[in-house]
Every structure is written in C-alpha cells, then in structure tokens.
Amino acid sequence: MSILAINDLKVQFPTPEGLVKAVNSVDLELEEGERLGMIGETGSGKTVLGLAVVRLLSGAEVEGNIEYRGKKLLLLDEAEMRKLRGREISVIFQSPNSLNPVLKVGDQIAESIRLVGCSNRQDAKKKAVQAMEAVGMPDAELWADRYPHQFSGGMKERAMIALGLACDPRLIIADEPTKGLDANIKAQVVELIRDVTTDKSLLFITHDLSAAAQICDRIAVMYCGEIVEVGRTEEIFANPLHPYTEGLFRSLPIMGMKAIRGASPSLIDIPSGCRFHPRCDRPCENCAKAHPPLVEAESSPGHLMRCFQHDRG
Amino acid sequence: MKAEYLMRRAFYSFLAFMVSLTLTFVLLHLMPGDYLHSILPYLAEKNPDAARMFREQFGLNRSISEQYLLYVVNVVRGNWGYSFLYGLPVLAVIEEKLRWTLVILFPSTVLSILIGMAVGAYSGWRNGSKTDLSVLNFMIFVGAVPSYWWAMLLILIFGFHLNLFPLGGYASIEALDVGVRISDVLRHAALPVTALTISSVPGTYYLMRNSTLQTTGEEYVLTARSKGLREMEILRHHALKNAMLPMVTVIALELAQMIMGSVFVETIFSWPGLGLLTFEALRVRDLPLLQGIFLMDTLMVIFANIAADLSYPLIDPRVKVGENV
C-alpha cells in the first residue's frame, strides 16, 4: 500500500516578475517503508514539492492531489493538518538556522514530544535526551541543555534528525540534510539517516547523488519542476535513460566532473517542448515542439523517463 | 575578563558624562537672559547692590571658565549646586519632584511597554492581515497626535463635560485640611497617566511589530510549524523571545526617560513633577537646576544602556558580556 500518493501536483508562486511554476504536474508514489531520493539542481522544485506535502508553503498556489494513507491532505482543515505534522509526517531541514537560537536544543526536541501527549515536562525532557542518544550524540544529557550556537554543523544536523524522529513519524521528509557539511561529517550523517529510517518511509531531497544512492530504494530526478526520470536506484545508476540524468552522473567528480552546459532555466519562463532540450547534447527536432510524457522504458519495467529519444527505442 | 570589561565600561561612561556635562554647560550659558532679569527685572535695575550680592553668592561674578571648573569639581564631589528659584540644593529639589513624576510616569511607561509589545507582536505575526492593517493605521493616527492634544482632549471630555476626574493638580483642596490621601492622588493621576500611555504606546508598537515581522521568515519558525505547533504557540515560544532581543535597549531607554518626566503633560495637568520643573527652570533661567536635571537624564541614560547590555546574556544565550567588545 502506498503511504504517499501525489497526483498531478502543481505549485505556483505569484510574484511581481510573473508566475513562478515551481512544480508542474508531478505524479509520485511512495510505498510504505520505501525510501525515495528526490534529486535535482537548486531551483528544480524538489524542496517546494517536499514542503507542499506538509502544506508549509506560504504564498503558494497548490493544485492537484496529495494523499497520505488515504487522506487527501489538500482538503484537510488546518487543525487536522497540524495533527499530522511532526507525529505522522516530519520534516528534517538543513540545519544552520533551523533550530531556534535562544532555546535549549533539548527543550526544542521535548516540545515536539509534549505535543504528542507526553504532558510531564521531565518525562518529555528525558525522552528528548533519549532521542539525542539515538542519533549517536555523546553526552546527550549535557548537550540537551546547550544552545544551538554551541553545536557544530554536524551536531546540529544530528539534533535536527533527533527532532524529526522524536515523535516516531511514519513518513519523513528530509530536505537536503547533508547540504553544507564537510565530506567526513556528511558521510556520517548519511549513514545515520540510513540507519534510523530502516523501518520508515522517507522522501530524501538532495542534490547529492551518492548520498541518495546509499540511502534510497528508488530515485526520482527532477528538472524544471517536473520528474524526468524515476526508477530503482540500481537501475538509475546502471542505466540512466534521460540525458539530464546522464549529465548529472558525468558531473560527479569520479566521472570527470563534466558540467551540463548552460544554466537551469527560470521557472517563470519555462522552455517549450522538452524542458531540457536547450541544454541537451542530442536534441531532435521534435524535442523543441512537443512536451515528452513520462513513460515506462521498454527495456526496464518500472523505470520511467521523459525523453523522446528513448521512447522510440 | 568581566572585571576588565566593567572597568572599561565605567571609564567610557564617565567620559560620556563629562562630555554631556560640558555641552549642556556651554549651551545653557549661550542662552539669552538670566535669572535676575526674568524673575525680578526691576531689582536688577533699581538696586544694583542686591544684584551684585546675588551674583557673588552664586559665584556668577566669576569668569565662565572658572565657573565651569568649579562646577565640574563640585559635581564630581556630589554637590550639584543650588537652585536660584528654590534656594535649595539642586539634588534635593530634583528628588522631591522626581517622586511626583514617577507617580504618573512609572505606570504609564510600564503600561505602554506592555500594551505596545503585546499588540505589536500580534500585529507583526499577522502582518498583512486585516487586523494588522487596521491596528497599524490606528497606531499611526494615535502616534501622529501629540501628547498635549490627548491631554487636553481627556481634560475636556472626562474632566470638564463628564466631570469624572479633576482638571489638574495632584490633590484636592481638602488636602489642606486632611492631608494628602493616596486615593485622591490616584484620582488626579488617572488622566495624566492615560494621556502619557496613549501617546507612548505607538512607538513601542512600531518597533515590536517590526521586530516580530522579521522573525516570521526565519527558518526556526518553519521548523516549529513542521512540529505541528499552533500559530500562537509558535509566536509565544519561538518568535517572541527572538523579537524581544532588539527591544531590550528600547525598553531600558524608555525606563530611563521616565525620570525626565513629561514637560507637556505635566504642564497641562499642573502636575508637580520633573517635566513641570524643567519648564519652570527654563522659564526663569534657573541654570543650576536645569543643568542638574540634564545631568540626571544623562546619568539615567548611561545606566540604562549598561543595564541593557548586562541583561542581554540573560535572554540571548549567544551573547557573552565582556567578550569581543
């Protein structure tokens, strides 16, 4: 059974410069217990997609259908939605300013725990310390009484993960949790996220291919507000079908660090036809005219992509 | 580290105090007119001997630089001179009037800070909403009206037409027989306190609204929302404490300004406080008294700033007094 089903989701932000189409007709399904990596460049709409699920976007027009365990999230009233946040669906943000600078870290985690119904202050604090221990924080009791500015970047991210897991949610949305961390710390955080989410459903939003590969069962690649390729992690790595996915792999350091030419287009003025065709290495004349649909590749079932070239075989 | 910081702080405060003393001394002596000519114009002309004796008694026959040096030495020693008008030590006069000023300024300052911050926080948190915009416009209107206009309006409505409160003064005429009673003073203080509160709420409100507004886009607010907290809980537990940080200095300075009294409101209500005293002293060119009042203000502002800086670490864990100054 799918824990999260997104159908034809559109997210737009009206701005003075024009309508920013951040997410365009995205369909996505997440199975119970599945971990899905959402990969894309900055501005591809992946974070917006993640926040749209918990309805935390301000000033956005959200259309379509988001179903969480059979509940249509976009139709819930604010109070019902609030009850899902934290205890059913939690978000792990990228860290530097996501913790309140003037409150003790332990108290910020305990606050979440108390919301779930643990009314006793001391018990909540104890559970918060346990949550911090669970993410591998040494001397958790000591650190629970400290403030965010006393934490290192890696420690803050661990605290954010502890906060995200504090209420034992079913679905976790991790929004670029490894951004801005040193390589060594990043490896630890990725390992931690993999270990603590083994029995959870995870939407792992990142631009880091290797992190996604280590954690996720499936990977979805986003470009310009739409999904251009989605499939099992091994499939995507072994046999990337979309030229953008190929480009992402080629831009990895171990693959020679070749950048995709051009810059990702503005989400106000989206290219016609295939959104990637201005930057594509091998466009055909059809690519500029028609918008390719997301179809299953003939060669590998369950592997979907949005490219005319492969569609024709 | 901390002792060194306090020493340095004390030194700079002393420096600021001396600069302020010098500037007020120069400015006050640049003012045209003198005490004798404003209070007893005929004495000065008809009886030069009396005028000379007055000058000698207060040391006004000496050169300005000599007067300045004497004044500095005396102030540092704790002697702030004698008031021409009262013939009493300046500090004694100020102390007596300060009590009366605090009777109306303390409640109005505390009230305006509380109201301004509460309404400002709500308004800033709900920025752009109908409530926010109507409150904001209302506050702009209230803030644009000077305190003396509110004072006169209150006297007219509640004092004159409705006859609920006295028109001015600090006690009824019966006080001459039965002594000054607290309930009587409070009845007299009601209108001045209201006028002062109304006129100083908008200032605190703007600052608090702005300060709260800036927290609404912070990432920790998004984190708090993702926890499933209610909007008002986020405001209370997360935004307010951060929004308070820039307010500490403002609050400290407002408390310091309390002792300056309100020239306008005290004059209109004939309230015998420091504001009225300042007005009187200025009118008759009672220079030692004026100088004393200004020095007192300077001291208060200096202390308020120190108090604000020392209290920062209490509400912002990132601030450590004495480091990186």
PDB file of all heavy atoms in Angstrom, chain A residues 56 82 85-86 93 97-98 100-103 108 111-112 115 147 149, chain B residues 219-220 222-223 225-230 237-238 241-242 315 317-318:
ATOM      1  N   LEU A  56       3.446  23.481   4.079  1.00  0.00           N
ATOM      2  CA  LEU A  56       4.161  24.534   4.802  1.00  0.00           C
ATOM      3  C   LEU A  56       4.669  25.622   3.866  1.00  0.00           C
ATOM      4  O   LEU A  56       5.588  26.354   4.199  1.00  0.00           O
ATOM      5  CB  LEU A  56       5.332  23.938   5.584  1.00  0.00           C
ATOM      6  CG  LEU A  56       4.943  23.226   6.876  1.00  0.00           C
ATOM      7  CD1 LEU A  56       6.148  22.586   7.531  1.00  0.00           C
ATOM      8  CD2 LEU A  56       4.271  24.189   7.837  1.00  0.00           C
ATOM      9  N   ARG A  82      -2.353  20.033  11.138  1.00  0.00           N
ATOM     10  CA  ARG A  82      -1.381  20.257  12.205  1.00  0.00           C
ATOM     11  C   ARG A  82      -1.144  18.976  12.991  1.00  0.00           C
ATOM     12  O   ARG A  82      -0.033  18.704  13.427  1.00  0.00           O
ATOM     13  CB  ARG A  82      -1.916  21.349  13.124  1.00  0.00           C
ATOM     14  CG  ARG A  82      -0.846  22.139  13.822  1.00  0.00           C
ATOM     15  CD  ARG A  82      -1.391  23.403  14.401  1.00  0.00           C
ATOM     16  NE  ARG A  82      -2.626  23.175  15.109  1.00  0.00           N
ATOM     17  CZ  ARG A  82      -3.676  23.972  15.038  1.00  0.00           C
ATOM     18  NH1 ARG A  82      -3.632  25.052  14.282  1.00  0.00           N
ATOM     19  NH2 ARG A  82      -4.766  23.702  15.710  1.00  0.00           N
ATOM     20  N   ARG A  85       1.404  16.831  11.204  1.00  0.00           N
ATOM     21  CA  ARG A  85       2.781  17.323  11.194  1.00  0.00           C
ATOM     22  C   ARG A  85       3.508  16.887  12.459  1.00  0.00           C
ATOM     23  O   ARG A  85       2.984  16.983  13.555  1.00  0.00           O
ATOM     24  CB  ARG A  85       2.815  18.849  11.117  1.00  0.00           C
ATOM     25  CG  ARG A  85       2.380  19.402   9.786  1.00  0.00           C
ATOM     26  CD  ARG A  85       2.639  20.902   9.711  1.00  0.00           C
ATOM     27  NE  ARG A  85       1.847  21.477   8.639  1.00  0.00           N
ATOM     28  CZ  ARG A  85       0.992  22.484   8.805  1.00  0.00           C
ATOM     29  NH1 ARG A  85       0.855  23.027   9.995  1.00  0.00           N
ATOM     30  NH2 ARG A  85       0.320  22.945   7.781  1.00  0.00           N
ATOM     31  N   GLY A  86       4.724  16.425  12.277  1.00  0.00           N
ATOM     32  CA  GLY A  86       5.521  16.043  13.439  1.00  0.00           C
ATOM     33  C   GLY A  86       5.253  14.628  13.896  1.00  0.00           C
ATOM     34  O   GLY A  86       6.152  13.827  14.003  1.00  0.00           O
ATOM     35  N   PHE A  93      15.028  19.488   8.287  1.00  0.00           N
ATOM     36  CA  PHE A  93      15.531  20.574   7.445  1.00  0.00           C
ATOM     37  C   PHE A  93      17.055  20.579   7.424  1.00  0.00           C
ATOM     38  O   PHE A  93      17.701  19.951   8.247  1.00  0.00           O
ATOM     39  CB  PHE A  93      15.039  21.921   7.983  1.00  0.00           C
ATOM     40  CG  PHE A  93      13.562  22.118   7.857  1.00  0.00           C
ATOM     41  CD1 PHE A  93      12.712  21.892   8.930  1.00  0.00           C
ATOM     42  CD2 PHE A  93      13.017  22.519   6.649  1.00  0.00           C
ATOM     43  CE1 PHE A  93      11.343  22.072   8.815  1.00  0.00           C
ATOM     44  CE2 PHE A  93      11.645  22.705   6.525  1.00  0.00           C
ATOM     45  CZ  PHE A  93      10.812  22.482   7.606  1.00  0.00           C
ATOM     46  N   ASN A  97      20.169  27.304  10.458  1.00  0.00           N
ATOM     47  CA  ASN A  97      19.284  28.211  11.199  1.00  0.00           C
ATOM     48  C   ASN A  97      17.939  27.582  11.511  1.00  0.00           C
ATOM     49  O   ASN A  97      16.981  28.285  11.825  1.00  0.00           O
ATOM     50  CB  ASN A  97      19.071  29.487  10.397  1.00  0.00           C
ATOM     51  CG  ASN A  97      20.382  30.138  10.072  1.00  0.00           C
ATOM     52  OD1 ASN A  97      21.234  30.296  10.936  1.00  0.00           O
ATOM     53  ND2 ASN A  97      20.585  30.479   8.810  1.00  0.00           N
ATOM     54  N   SER A  98      17.865  26.269  11.411  1.00  0.00           N
ATOM     55  CA  SER A  98      16.564  25.635  11.588  1.00  0.00           C
ATOM     56  C   SER A  98      16.221  25.391  13.044  1.00  0.00           C
ATOM     57  O   SER A  98      15.096  25.056  13.372  1.00  0.00           O
ATOM     58  CB  SER A  98      16.512  24.316  10.820  1.00  0.00           C
ATOM     59  OG  SER A  98      16.625  24.599   9.439  1.00  0.00           O
ATOM     60  N   ASN A 100      15.920  27.020  16.878  1.00  0.00           N
ATOM     61  CA  ASN A 100      15.736  28.341  17.477  1.00  0.00           C
ATOM     62  C   ASN A 100      16.967  28.708  18.309  1.00  0.00           C
ATOM     63  O   ASN A 100      17.325  27.985  19.235  1.00  0.00           O
ATOM     64  CB  ASN A 100      14.481  28.326  18.350  1.00  0.00           C
ATOM     65  CG  ASN A 100      14.055  29.719  18.755  1.00  0.00           C
ATOM     66  OD1 ASN A 100      14.884  30.610  18.902  1.00  0.00           O
ATOM     67  ND2 ASN A 100      12.767  29.905  18.932  1.00  0.00           N
ATOM     68  N   PRO A 101      17.622  29.838  17.966  1.00  0.00           N
ATOM     69  CA  PRO A 101      18.896  30.174  18.624  1.00  0.00           C
ATOM     70  C   PRO A 101      18.786  30.474  20.118  1.00  0.00           C
ATOM     71  O   PRO A 101      19.777  30.378  20.823  1.00  0.00           O
ATOM     72  CB  PRO A 101      19.369  31.420  17.863  1.00  0.00           C
ATOM     73  CG  PRO A 101      18.138  31.999  17.261  1.00  0.00           C
ATOM     74  CD  PRO A 101      17.248  30.829  16.950  1.00  0.00           C
ATOM     75  N   VAL A 102      17.591  30.833  20.597  1.00  0.00           N
ATOM     76  CA  VAL A 102      17.506  31.232  22.001  1.00  0.00           C
ATOM     77  C   VAL A 102      16.880  30.167  22.897  1.00  0.00           C
ATOM     78  O   VAL A 102      16.612  30.417  24.059  1.00  0.00           O
ATOM     79  CB  VAL A 102      16.746  32.567  22.173  1.00  0.00           C
ATOM     80  CG1 VAL A 102      17.456  33.685  21.443  1.00  0.00           C
ATOM     81  CG2 VAL A 102      15.316  32.449  21.685  1.00  0.00           C
ATOM     82  N   LEU A 103      16.636  28.980  22.338  1.00  0.00           N
ATOM     83  CA  LEU A 103      16.085  27.904  23.174  1.00  0.00           C
ATOM     84  C   LEU A 103      17.067  26.733  23.227  1.00  0.00           C
ATOM     85  O   LEU A 103      17.750  26.444  22.249  1.00  0.00           O
ATOM     86  CB  LEU A 103      14.746  27.417  22.597  1.00  0.00           C
ATOM     87  CG  LEU A 103      13.618  28.447  22.504  1.00  0.00           C
ATOM     88  CD1 LEU A 103      12.395  27.817  21.862  1.00  0.00           C
ATOM     89  CD2 LEU A 103      13.266  28.978  23.878  1.00  0.00           C
ATOM     90  N   GLN A 108      13.803  22.084  22.684  1.00  0.00           N
ATOM     91  CA  GLN A 108      13.139  22.148  21.381  1.00  0.00           C
ATOM     92  C   GLN A 108      12.661  20.772  20.951  1.00  0.00           C
ATOM     93  O   GLN A 108      11.623  20.636  20.308  1.00  0.00           O
ATOM     94  CB  GLN A 108      14.088  22.745  20.328  1.00  0.00           C
ATOM     95  CG  GLN A 108      14.477  24.170  20.656  1.00  0.00           C
ATOM     96  CD  GLN A 108      15.198  24.862  19.524  1.00  0.00           C
ATOM     97  OE1 GLN A 108      14.789  24.820  18.382  1.00  0.00           O
ATOM     98  NE2 GLN A 108      16.303  25.508  19.853  1.00  0.00           N
ATOM     99  N   GLU A 111       9.699  19.777  23.214  1.00  0.00           N
ATOM    100  CA  GLU A 111       8.461  20.463  22.816  1.00  0.00           C
ATOM    101  C   GLU A 111       7.647  19.592  21.857  1.00  0.00           C
ATOM    102  O   GLU A 111       6.437  19.465  21.985  1.00  0.00           O
ATOM    103  CB  GLU A 111       8.823  21.790  22.149  1.00  0.00           C
ATOM    104  CG  GLU A 111       7.626  22.648  21.799  1.00  0.00           C
ATOM    105  CD  GLU A 111       8.038  23.918  21.096  1.00  0.00           C
ATOM    106  OE1 GLU A 111       9.014  23.875  20.330  1.00  0.00           O
ATOM    107  OE2 GLU A 111       7.367  24.936  21.304  1.00  0.00           O
ATOM    108  N   SER A 112       8.359  18.978  20.910  1.00  0.00           N
ATOM    109  CA  SER A 112       7.691  18.083  19.968  1.00  0.00           C
ATOM    110  C   SER A 112       7.066  16.898  20.688  1.00  0.00           C
ATOM    111  O   SER A 112       5.943  16.507  20.410  1.00  0.00           O
ATOM    112  CB  SER A 112       8.701  17.541  18.950  1.00  0.00           C
ATOM    113  OG  SER A 112       8.849  18.446  17.901  1.00  0.00           O
ATOM    114  N   LEU A 115       3.907  17.607  22.490  1.00  0.00           N
ATOM    115  CA  LEU A 115       2.756  17.771  21.603  1.00  0.00           C
ATOM    116  C   LEU A 115       2.034  16.458  21.356  1.00  0.00           C
ATOM    117  O   LEU A 115       0.827  16.422  21.129  1.00  0.00           O
ATOM    118  CB  LEU A 115       3.216  18.322  20.251  1.00  0.00           C
ATOM    119  CG  LEU A 115       3.290  19.829  20.104  1.00  0.00           C
ATOM    120  CD1 LEU A 115       3.830  20.165  18.744  1.00  0.00           C
ATOM    121  CD2 LEU A 115       1.921  20.448  20.296  1.00  0.00           C
ATOM    122  N   TYR A 147      22.757  25.409  23.814  1.00  0.00           N
ATOM    123  CA  TYR A 147      22.060  26.160  22.768  1.00  0.00           C
ATOM    124  C   TYR A 147      22.658  25.838  21.400  1.00  0.00           C
ATOM    125  O   TYR A 147      23.828  25.442  21.298  1.00  0.00           O
ATOM    126  CB  TYR A 147      22.165  27.655  23.057  1.00  0.00           C
ATOM    127  CG  TYR A 147      21.403  28.054  24.292  1.00  0.00           C
ATOM    128  CD1 TYR A 147      22.042  28.111  25.530  1.00  0.00           C
ATOM    129  CD2 TYR A 147      20.048  28.326  24.226  1.00  0.00           C
ATOM    130  CE1 TYR A 147      21.338  28.462  26.669  1.00  0.00           C
ATOM    131  CE2 TYR A 147      19.339  28.680  25.360  1.00  0.00           C
ATOM    132  CZ  TYR A 147      19.983  28.739  26.579  1.00  0.00           C
ATOM    133  OH  TYR A 147      19.283  29.076  27.702  1.00  0.00           O
ATOM    134  N   HIS A 149      23.992  27.452  19.059  1.00  0.00           N
ATOM    135  CA  HIS A 149      25.264  28.029  18.596  1.00  0.00           C
ATOM    136  C   HIS A 149      26.465  27.308  19.173  1.00  0.00           C
ATOM    137  O   HIS A 149      27.580  27.483  18.704  1.00  0.00           O
ATOM    138  CB  HIS A 149      25.322  29.523  18.936  1.00  0.00           C
ATOM    139  CG  HIS A 149      25.509  29.801  20.397  1.00  0.00           C
ATOM    140  ND1 HIS A 149      24.477  29.806  21.293  1.00  0.00           N
ATOM    141  CD2 HIS A 149      26.622  30.071  21.121  1.00  0.00           C
ATOM    142  CE1 HIS A 149      24.945  30.064  22.504  1.00  0.00           C
ATOM    143  NE2 HIS A 149      26.239  30.220  22.426  1.00  0.00           N
TER     144      HIS A 149
ATOM    145  N   GLU B 219      13.972  30.463   9.619  1.00  0.00           N
ATOM    146  CA  GLU B 219      13.863  29.018   9.382  1.00  0.00           C
ATOM    147  C   GLU B 219      13.365  28.273  10.614  1.00  0.00           C
ATOM    148  O   GLU B 219      12.679  27.267  10.493  1.00  0.00           O
ATOM    149  CB  GLU B 219      15.214  28.461   8.933  1.00  0.00           C
ATOM    150  CG  GLU B 219      15.544  28.861   7.507  1.00  0.00           C
ATOM    151  CD  GLU B 219      16.966  28.518   7.127  1.00  0.00           C
ATOM    152  OE1 GLU B 219      17.392  27.384   7.394  1.00  0.00           O
ATOM    153  OE2 GLU B 219      17.653  29.389   6.570  1.00  0.00           O
ATOM    154  N   TYR B 220      13.714  28.778  11.821  1.00  0.00           N
ATOM    155  CA  TYR B 220      13.264  28.049  13.008  1.00  0.00           C
ATOM    156  C   TYR B 220      11.737  28.136  13.163  1.00  0.00           C
ATOM    157  O   TYR B 220      11.135  27.285  13.812  1.00  0.00           O
ATOM    158  CB  TYR B 220      13.977  28.534  14.280  1.00  0.00           C
ATOM    159  CG  TYR B 220      13.831  29.995  14.588  1.00  0.00           C
ATOM    160  CD1 TYR B 220      12.673  30.487  15.167  1.00  0.00           C
ATOM    161  CD2 TYR B 220      14.848  30.889  14.302  1.00  0.00           C
ATOM    162  CE1 TYR B 220      12.525  31.822  15.450  1.00  0.00           C
ATOM    163  CE2 TYR B 220      14.720  32.239  14.574  1.00  0.00           C
ATOM    164  CZ  TYR B 220      13.555  32.696  15.146  1.00  0.00           C
ATOM    165  OH  TYR B 220      13.416  34.028  15.414  1.00  0.00           O
ATOM    166  N   LEU B 222       9.710  27.918  10.571  1.00  0.00           N
ATOM    167  CA  LEU B 222       9.268  26.833   9.694  1.00  0.00           C
ATOM    168  C   LEU B 222       9.417  25.488  10.416  1.00  0.00           C
ATOM    169  O   LEU B 222       8.519  24.640  10.366  1.00  0.00           O
ATOM    170  CB  LEU B 222      10.105  26.852   8.409  1.00  0.00           C
ATOM    171  CG  LEU B 222       9.630  25.960   7.276  1.00  0.00           C
ATOM    172  CD1 LEU B 222       8.255  26.374   6.805  1.00  0.00           C
ATOM    173  CD2 LEU B 222      10.616  25.995   6.118  1.00  0.00           C
ATOM    174  N   THR B 223      10.548  25.324  11.110  1.00  0.00           N
ATOM    175  CA  THR B 223      10.751  24.098  11.885  1.00  0.00           C
ATOM    176  C   THR B 223       9.626  23.942  12.910  1.00  0.00           C
ATOM    177  O   THR B 223       9.051  22.857  13.046  1.00  0.00           O
ATOM    178  CB  THR B 223      12.101  24.141  12.632  1.00  0.00           C
ATOM    179  OG1 THR B 223      13.128  24.419  11.688  1.00  0.00           O
ATOM    180  CG2 THR B 223      12.378  22.822  13.315  1.00  0.00           C
ATOM    181  N   ARG B 225       6.657  25.142  12.797  1.00  0.00           N
ATOM    182  CA  ARG B 225       5.405  24.776  12.126  1.00  0.00           C
ATOM    183  C   ARG B 225       5.408  23.294  11.774  1.00  0.00           C
ATOM    184  O   ARG B 225       4.391  22.623  11.893  1.00  0.00           O
ATOM    185  CB  ARG B 225       5.242  25.585  10.837  1.00  0.00           C
ATOM    186  CG  ARG B 225       4.825  26.991  11.095  1.00  0.00           C
ATOM    187  CD  ARG B 225       4.049  27.594   9.924  1.00  0.00           C
ATOM    188  NE  ARG B 225       3.668  28.941  10.319  1.00  0.00           N
ATOM    189  CZ  ARG B 225       4.307  30.036   9.935  1.00  0.00           C
ATOM    190  NH1 ARG B 225       5.298  29.963   9.068  1.00  0.00           N
ATOM    191  NH2 ARG B 225       3.931  31.221  10.373  1.00  0.00           N
ATOM    192  N   SER B 226       6.571  22.790  11.352  1.00  0.00           N
ATOM    193  CA  SER B 226       6.627  21.389  10.930  1.00  0.00           C
ATOM    194  C   SER B 226       6.428  20.453  12.118  1.00  0.00           C
ATOM    195  O   SER B 226       6.135  19.281  11.948  1.00  0.00           O
ATOM    196  CB  SER B 226       7.955  21.092  10.232  1.00  0.00           C
ATOM    197  OG  SER B 226       8.980  20.893  11.181  1.00  0.00           O
ATOM    198  N   LYS B 227       6.605  20.980  13.340  1.00  0.00           N
ATOM    199  CA  LYS B 227       6.365  20.160  14.528  1.00  0.00           C
ATOM    200  C   LYS B 227       4.874  20.000  14.794  1.00  0.00           C
ATOM    201  O   LYS B 227       4.483  19.176  15.608  1.00  0.00           O
ATOM    202  CB  LYS B 227       6.956  20.832  15.764  1.00  0.00           C
ATOM    203  CG  LYS B 227       8.451  20.824  15.870  1.00  0.00           C
ATOM    204  CD  LYS B 227       8.803  21.644  17.106  1.00  0.00           C
ATOM    205  CE  LYS B 227      10.264  21.572  17.439  1.00  0.00           C
ATOM    206  NZ  LYS B 227      10.524  22.406  18.648  1.00  0.00           N
ATOM    207  N   GLY B 228       4.060  20.862  14.181  1.00  0.00           N
ATOM    208  CA  GLY B 228       2.627  20.804  14.419  1.00  0.00           C
ATOM    209  C   GLY B 228       2.172  21.754  15.510  1.00  0.00           C
ATOM    210  O   GLY B 228       1.108  21.570  16.090  1.00  0.00           O
ATOM    211  N   LEU B 229       2.965  22.772  15.800  1.00  0.00           N
ATOM    212  CA  LEU B 229       2.557  23.763  16.805  1.00  0.00           C
ATOM    213  C   LEU B 229       1.510  24.700  16.221  1.00  0.00           C
ATOM    214  O   LEU B 229       1.475  24.943  15.023  1.00  0.00           O
ATOM    215  CB  LEU B 229       3.768  24.606  17.237  1.00  0.00           C
ATOM    216  CG  LEU B 229       4.838  23.917  18.078  1.00  0.00           C
ATOM    217  CD1 LEU B 229       6.075  24.785  18.139  1.00  0.00           C
ATOM    218  CD2 LEU B 229       4.321  23.656  19.474  1.00  0.00           C
ATOM    219  N   ARG B 230       0.662  25.235  17.109  1.00  0.00           N
ATOM    220  CA  ARG B 230      -0.301  26.248  16.675  1.00  0.00           C
ATOM    221  C   ARG B 230       0.432  27.561  16.462  1.00  0.00           C
ATOM    222  O   ARG B 230       1.457  27.819  17.086  1.00  0.00           O
ATOM    223  CB  ARG B 230      -1.357  26.483  17.758  1.00  0.00           C
ATOM    224  CG  ARG B 230      -2.312  25.374  17.931  1.00  0.00           C
ATOM    225  CD  ARG B 230      -2.948  25.480  19.310  1.00  0.00           C
ATOM    226  NE  ARG B 230      -3.483  24.203  19.708  1.00  0.00           N
ATOM    227  CZ  ARG B 230      -4.683  23.755  19.347  1.00  0.00           C
ATOM    228  NH1 ARG B 230      -5.446  24.523  18.608  1.00  0.00           N
ATOM    229  NH2 ARG B 230      -5.104  22.576  19.718  1.00  0.00           N
ATOM    230  N   HIS B 237       6.328  30.816  22.001  1.00  0.00           N
ATOM    231  CA  HIS B 237       7.510  30.062  22.420  1.00  0.00           C
ATOM    232  C   HIS B 237       8.729  30.318  21.542  1.00  0.00           C
ATOM    233  O   HIS B 237       9.852  30.138  21.976  1.00  0.00           O
ATOM    234  CB  HIS B 237       7.213  28.560  22.416  1.00  0.00           C
ATOM    235  CG  HIS B 237       6.112  28.171  23.340  1.00  0.00           C
ATOM    236  ND1 HIS B 237       6.018  28.681  24.612  1.00  0.00           N
ATOM    237  CD2 HIS B 237       5.049  27.346  23.194  1.00  0.00           C
ATOM    238  CE1 HIS B 237       4.949  28.180  25.201  1.00  0.00           C
ATOM    239  NE2 HIS B 237       4.339  27.380  24.362  1.00  0.00           N
ATOM    240  N   HIS B 238       8.506  30.682  20.277  1.00  0.00           N
ATOM    241  CA  HIS B 238       9.661  30.783  19.383  1.00  0.00           C
ATOM    242  C   HIS B 238       9.952  32.194  18.906  1.00  0.00           C
ATOM    243  O   HIS B 238      11.086  32.649  18.962  1.00  0.00           O
ATOM    244  CB  HIS B 238       9.467  29.858  18.181  1.00  0.00           C
ATOM    245  CG  HIS B 238       9.564  28.407  18.528  1.00  0.00           C
ATOM    246  ND1 HIS B 238      10.748  27.719  18.515  1.00  0.00           N
ATOM    247  CD2 HIS B 238       8.634  27.532  18.954  1.00  0.00           C
ATOM    248  CE1 HIS B 238      10.542  26.471  18.903  1.00  0.00           C
ATOM    249  NE2 HIS B 238       9.241  26.331  19.182  1.00  0.00           N
ATOM    250  N   LYS B 241      10.618  35.486  21.866  1.00  0.00           N
ATOM    251  CA  LYS B 241      11.892  35.624  22.551  1.00  0.00           C
ATOM    252  C   LYS B 241      12.948  36.216  21.618  1.00  0.00           C
ATOM    253  O   LYS B 241      13.794  36.989  22.037  1.00  0.00           O
ATOM    254  CB  LYS B 241      12.355  34.260  23.077  1.00  0.00           C
ATOM    255  CG  LYS B 241      13.091  34.405  24.389  1.00  0.00           C
ATOM    256  CD  LYS B 241      13.423  33.089  25.031  1.00  0.00           C
ATOM    257  CE  LYS B 241      14.438  33.323  26.139  1.00  0.00           C
ATOM    258  NZ  LYS B 241      15.100  32.108  26.581  1.00  0.00           N
ATOM    259  N   ASN B 242      12.858  35.840  20.348  1.00  0.00           N
ATOM    260  CA  ASN B 242      13.796  36.407  19.384  1.00  0.00           C
ATOM    261  C   ASN B 242      13.452  37.855  19.067  1.00  0.00           C
ATOM    262  O   ASN B 242      14.342  38.687  18.890  1.00  0.00           O
ATOM    263  CB  ASN B 242      13.807  35.581  18.098  1.00  0.00           C
ATOM    264  CG  ASN B 242      14.569  34.281  18.269  1.00  0.00           C
ATOM    265  OD1 ASN B 242      15.780  34.267  18.249  1.00  0.00           O
ATOM    266  ND2 ASN B 242      13.846  33.188  18.467  1.00  0.00           N
ATOM    267  N   ILE B 315      18.769  36.932  28.127  1.00  0.00           N
ATOM    268  CA  ILE B 315      17.748  36.450  27.200  1.00  0.00           C
ATOM    269  C   ILE B 315      18.341  35.939  25.892  1.00  0.00           C
ATOM    270  O   ILE B 315      17.685  35.246  25.155  1.00  0.00           O
ATOM    271  CB  ILE B 315      16.665  37.512  26.906  1.00  0.00           C
ATOM    272  CG1 ILE B 315      17.258  38.728  26.221  1.00  0.00           C
ATOM    273  CG2 ILE B 315      15.947  37.912  28.167  1.00  0.00           C
ATOM    274  CD1 ILE B 315      16.183  39.590  25.602  1.00  0.00           C
ATOM    275  N   PRO B 317      21.326  33.589  24.646  1.00  0.00           N
ATOM    276  CA  PRO B 317      22.450  32.750  25.082  1.00  0.00           C
ATOM    277  C   PRO B 317      23.717  32.969  24.248  1.00  0.00           C
ATOM    278  O   PRO B 317      24.798  32.603  24.671  1.00  0.00           O
ATOM    279  CB  PRO B 317      21.919  31.326  24.892  1.00  0.00           C
ATOM    280  CG  PRO B 317      20.807  31.444  23.917  1.00  0.00           C
ATOM    281  CD  PRO B 317      20.201  32.791  24.143  1.00  0.00           C
ATOM    282  N   ARG B 318      23.569  33.573  23.068  1.00  0.00           N
ATOM    283  CA  ARG B 318      24.751  33.757  22.222  1.00  0.00           C
ATOM    284  C   ARG B 318      25.624  34.910  22.689  1.00  0.00           C
ATOM    285  O   ARG B 318      26.781  35.008  22.336  1.00  0.00           O
ATOM    286  CB  ARG B 318      24.327  34.007  20.764  1.00  0.00           C
ATOM    287  CG  ARG B 318      23.769  32.790  20.086  1.00  0.00           C
ATOM    288  CD  ARG B 318      23.045  33.171  18.834  1.00  0.00           C
ATOM    289  NE  ARG B 318      21.878  33.992  19.139  1.00  0.00           N
ATOM    290  CZ  ARG B 318      21.021  34.418  18.225  1.00  0.00           C
ATOM    291  NH1 ARG B 318      21.211  34.115  16.965  1.00  0.00           N
ATOM    292  NH2 ARG B 318      19.988  35.150  18.564  1.00  0.00           N
TER     293      ARG B 318
END
